[in-house]
Amino acid sequence: MKWIHQKDSLIFSFEGDLDNLAILNFKNDVIREIDKWKAPCVKLDFREVTFIDSTGIGFILARYNQVQEYGGELSLRNISPSIRRLFALSGIFQIMKVENEKERKEVQG
């Protein structure tokens, strides 16, 4: 996991599997950085992610709630087709913004 703070955005880039072990390794760092910066826009980048399990979905939903608490917005970006299907089934697209609206429409329609 890598992160960068740019202007009003905090961007987290993940790679590999987002499963229980991976989440345990970076969860506290992500929570701390979101609390520290309270950026108006937090972006989760999935370009290098190959797999997400229920722990990964829970992690994303918890970060959504964390960002909502201070009035920020969480958005998703660079979602592969297989992860897009998983997110659609989980209902994530009903509450979270996808950075590219065309991507979102393809999933929902």
Side-chain angles (χ1 to χ4, degrees), residues 56-68:
I57 297 288
F59 170 79
I60 294 165
L61 292 171
R63 300 301 61 81
Y64 172 80
N65 289 333
Q66 180 184 4
V67 171
Q68 289 286 298

Side-chain angles (χ1 to χ4, degrees), residues 12-72:
F12 293 94
S13 299
F14 304 102
E15 60 184 41
D17 295 348
L18 285 187
D19 57 12
N20 190 44
L21 182 60
I23 301 292
L24 284 173
N25 287 328
F26 60 71
K27 178 181 173 182
N28 291 333
D29 294 333
V30 174
I31 292 169
R32 183 185 63 244
E33 293 305 319
I34 291 173
D35 283 344
K36 175 182 173 183
W37 293 102
K38 295 200 184 318
C41 185
V42 176
K43 300 178 182 186
L44 304 181
D45 191 320
F46 298 95
R47 180 183 309 272
E48 302 295 324
V49 174
T50 54
F51 173 79
I52 297 180
D53 70 4
S54 61
T55 306
I57 297 288
F59 170 79
I60 294 165
L61 292 171
R63 300 301 61 81
Y64 172 80
N65 289 333
Q66 180 184 4
V67 171
Q68 289 286 298
E69 284 180 8
Y70 66 82

Side-chain angles (χ1 to χ4, degrees), residues 90-105:
S90 71
I92 280 181
F93 293 129
Q94 302 301 317
I95 60 171
M96 289 183 212
K97 178 182 174 188
V98 176
E99 195 167 89
N100 181 345
E101 282 301 311
K102 182 178 180 243
E103 248 181 80
R104 184 177 183 153
K105 288 176 187 168

